[in-house]
């Protein structure tokens, strides 16, 4: 796109006539400049302002200089101008140090890598280098401020550029909040700048934009219908109104040539555009957009399955503290006496002591230095023989029962937890170490039990993702161990916890925490676990519940519940459903697979 420099003379020819006599230096004009790009004139006065080219209060330009062509996307240019708005504020305007020509220079360099003419850039210094300029500086600043900035309400003034998200409420978060608030209250959201509108389209699924203007009688005819539609849509959509006579850059960006113009967007992509003041057409197109945005109800919603219709709030945990004196004796002497370790042991003694008269007092026990302990554990696991790892892991397991310690470790001790979980995955891992690691992994879900504001294992950050992957690998590898019933039970508990977070995320409408392949791996391990329990009995796979021991029955029920959590509201044509369709399931699970 072409980039032009509009050059104005604020003195209207007076500088050319009298400058030599007054200053001893010939000054042809008091230059004011602006940049014209993409059909918009950008200039600095009351902050960064925009106008139809040639329509500002400065009148017609003295000359128009073509600076070149810019291949930069409009969105990139707009983002850069937003960043300049933090610098070129109304309060920062200085006729000699930060003026319209400084802004034009910055924008020209960004667009085409070319400076504006040197005699324009150097004009303030040229004037101030004269004795008359030094003497008259205060009076000239006062006299010309209204001319250069256009007063508090320049006219015409189609728009202004606001500072970037870091400095104003036009950030993506603020825009999303504004859209959500408008939708929740059923009112139309008025937008005045492009940045705010762009952020709303990025963060809001269903958006209708009504481009109007103050001089459009047909627009006013559909205002009541539009307000009513916003009320009816509620949280399902955000209805926006843009007055293009005040937000010229928005109208220009979206190519609005007439009002009223309507546009609908779904997940940031334009769905439809039409013009005209037909209330029936408006209502029909908004209804169509809402229908497109609303996902079809999952067939499981029609089933009477109260067990699966609410979030899981009770997880499998292992909170019981170990006999600390015996546990510490398992460590070599230098580690046993380390102050970092003894501080943690003392904390656990105080925090979980049965002699503690009040639970609240126990919960207020001061935490030890958990960062130092995390470093200690990582170092010790790297140097100690694997037979000594059990004691350290069991201490960490117990620490995680304290919500404060859990919050710290899952946020700041990712390396320690990752090391512990990955060390327990190899087949040659000692039984006691794998068992206590499974129990530790279960305790990571303490923050998911409804008492905490967020579940660590449900977060999208890198630590949450790593821990979820480690927990899944550890659980699936441990579930089918036919020699150790306690290990299988702990693995079943861990898989139940993992499946519960998957289930809770679905009910909340959040993105899937595990890939479909990972969920298939989980479901396959659970099905194999159920089959293994049934095959241990004399009657084989068709075993009745009466043939199972109490421990086997409890584990079978937990695994079936885990599979149900994975199946409930899973994609109907997805891999998890397909896997389970080829398996003989209990009646309660079969109904999930066969429902349509």
């Amino acid at each position: 796109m072409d980039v032009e420099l509009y050059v104005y003379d604020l003195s209207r020819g007076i500088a050319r006539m009298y400058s030599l006599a007054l200053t001893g230096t010939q000054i042809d004009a008091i230059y004011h400049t602006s940049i014209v790009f993409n059909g918009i004139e950008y200039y600095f006065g009351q902050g960064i302002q925009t106008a139809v080219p040639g329509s500002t209060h400065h009148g017609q330009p003295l000359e128009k200089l073509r600076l070149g062509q810019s291949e930069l996307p409009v969105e990139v240019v707009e983002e850069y101008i937003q960043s300049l708005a933090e610098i070129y504020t109304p309060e920062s305007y200085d006729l000699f140090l930060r003026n319209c020509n400084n802004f034009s220079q910055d924008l020209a360099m960004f667009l085409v890598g070319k400076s504006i003419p040197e005699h324009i850039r150097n004009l303030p210094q040229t004037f101030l280098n004269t004795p008359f300029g030094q003497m008259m500086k205060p009076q000239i600043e006062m006299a010309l401020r209204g001319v250069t900035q256009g007063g508090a309400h320049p006219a015409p003034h189609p728009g202004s550029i606001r500072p970037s998200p870091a400095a104003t409420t036009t950030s993506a978060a603020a825009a999303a909040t504004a859209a959500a608030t408008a939708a929740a209250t059923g009112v139309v959201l008025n937008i005045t700048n492009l940045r705010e509108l762009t952020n709303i389209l990025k963060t809001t699924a269903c958006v209708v934009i009504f481009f109007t203007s103050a001089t459009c009688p047909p627009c006013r005819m559909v205002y009541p219908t539009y307000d009513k539609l916003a009320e009816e849509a509620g949280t399902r959509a955000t209805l926006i109104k843009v007055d293009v006579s005040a937000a010229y850059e928005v109208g220009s960006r979206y190519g609005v040539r007439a009002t009223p113009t309507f546009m609908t967007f779904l997940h940031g992509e334009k769905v439809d555009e039409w013009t005209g003041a037909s209330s029936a057409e408006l209502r029909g197109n908004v209804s169509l957009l809402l229908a497109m945005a609303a996902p079809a109800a999952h067939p499981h919603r029609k089933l009477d399955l109260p067990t699966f219709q609410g979030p899981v709030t009770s997880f499998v945990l292992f909170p019981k503290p170990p006999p600390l004196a015996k546990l510490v004796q398992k460590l070599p002497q230098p580690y046993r006496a380390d102050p970092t370790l003894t501080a943690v042991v003392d904390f656990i003694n105080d925090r979980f002591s049965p002699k503690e008269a009040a639970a609240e007092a126990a919960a207020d026990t001061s935490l030890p230095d958990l960062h130092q302990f995390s470093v200690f554990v990582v170092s010790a696991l790297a140097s100690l023989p694997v037979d000594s790892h059990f004691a350290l892991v069991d201490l960490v397991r117990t620490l995680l029962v304290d919500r404060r310690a859990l919050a710290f470790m899952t946020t700041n001790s990712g390396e320690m937890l990752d090391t512990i979980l990955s060390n327990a995955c190899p087949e040659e891992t000692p039984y006691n170490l794998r068992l206590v690691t499974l129990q530790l992994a279960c305790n990571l879900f303490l923050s998911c039990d409804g008492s905490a504001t967020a579940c660590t294992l449900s977060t999208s950050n890198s630590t949450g993702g790593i821990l979820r992957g480690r927990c899944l690998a550890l659980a699936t590898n441990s579930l089918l161990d036919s020699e150790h019933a306690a290990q299988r039970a702990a693995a079943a508990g861990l898989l139940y916890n993992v499946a519960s977070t998957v289930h809770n995320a679905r009910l909340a409408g959040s993105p899937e925490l595990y890939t479909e392949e990972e969920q298939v791996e989980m479901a396959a391990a659970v099905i194999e676990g159920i089959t293994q329990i049934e095959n241990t009995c004399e009657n084989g796979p068709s075993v009745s519940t009466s043939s199972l021991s109490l421990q086997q029955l409890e584990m079978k029920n937990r695994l079936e519940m885990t599979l149900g959590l994975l199946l409930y509201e899973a994609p109907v044509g997805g891999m998890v459903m397909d896997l389970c369709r080829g398996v003989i399931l209990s009646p309660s699970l079969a109904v999930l697979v066969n429902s349509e």
Side-chain angles (χ1 to χ4, degrees), residues 197-370:
L197 179 58
T198 301
N199 285 328
I200 288 175
L201 289 174
K202 287 179 180 178
T203 56
T204 309
C206 193
V207 177
V208 184
I209 306 176
F210 178 3
F211 293 96
T212 180
S213 68
T215 57
C216 173
C219 296
R220 291 194 288 272
M221 292 172 56
V222 291
Y223 282 175
T225 301
Y226 200 64
D227 291 340
K228 183 64 175 176
L229 286 171
E231 182 181 349
E232 293 172 359
T235 57
R236 294 178 296 160
T238 297
L239 273 68
I240 292 171
K241 190 183 293 180
V242 177
D243 186 343
V244 294
S245 63
Y248 177 76
E249 56 171 340
V250 181
S252 176
R253 172 68 179 83
Y254 286 91
V256 177
R257 297 290 179 262
T259 55
T261 292
F262 297 90
M263 296 183 189
T264 56
F265 293 80
L266 190 60
H267 302 296
E269 299 293 330
K270 188 163 79 170
V271 174
D272 198 4
E273 177 180 348
W274 71 97
T275 59
S278 170
S279 295
E281 185 179 17
L282 172 61
R283 181 172 288 278
N285 287 338
V286 171
S287 298
L288 178 61
L289 180 71
L290 292 175
M292 293 172 62
H298 198 286
H300 290 170
R301 295 287 180 95
K302 303 174 184 177
L303 303 176
D304 185 18
L305 295 172
T307 302
F308 298 116
Q309 289 170 344
V312 176
T313 58
S314 180
F315 289 76
V316 177
L317 305 172
F318 293 87
K320 185 178 179 180
L324 291 175
K326 293 182 179 180
L327 186 69
V328 173
Q329 291 301 316
K330 297 180 182 294
L331 293 170
Q333 180 55 42
Y335 294 92
R336 194 188 313 164
D338 190 289
T340 301
L341 183 73
T342 57
V344 169
V345 172
D346 290 343
F347 168 77
I348 293 174
N349 266 324
D350 294 339
R351 173 67 175 82
F352 302 103
S353 172
K355 297 180 182 179
E356 210 43 85
E360 291 184 2
D364 289 337
T365 305
S366 298
L367 287 170
D369 187 337
L370 295 179

Side-chain angles (χ1 to χ4, degrees), residues 73-95:
V74 175
E75 294 81 1
V76 173
V77 176
E78 290 165 351
E79 186 173 350
Y80 176 73
I81 294 174
Q82 290 287 346
S83 69
L84 289 181
E86 298 179 28
I87 303 170
Y88 291 98
T89 63
E91 297 76 20
S92 71
Y93 189 94
D94 187 292
L95 182 64

Side-chain angles (χ1 to χ4, degrees), residues 42-50 81 84-85 88 103 159-161:
Y42 297 91
Y43 63 101
F44 177 42
Q46 284 286 337
I48 299 176
Q49 297 176 254
T50 61
I81 294 174
L84 289 181
Y88 291 98
F103 167 74
S160 61
I161 308 296

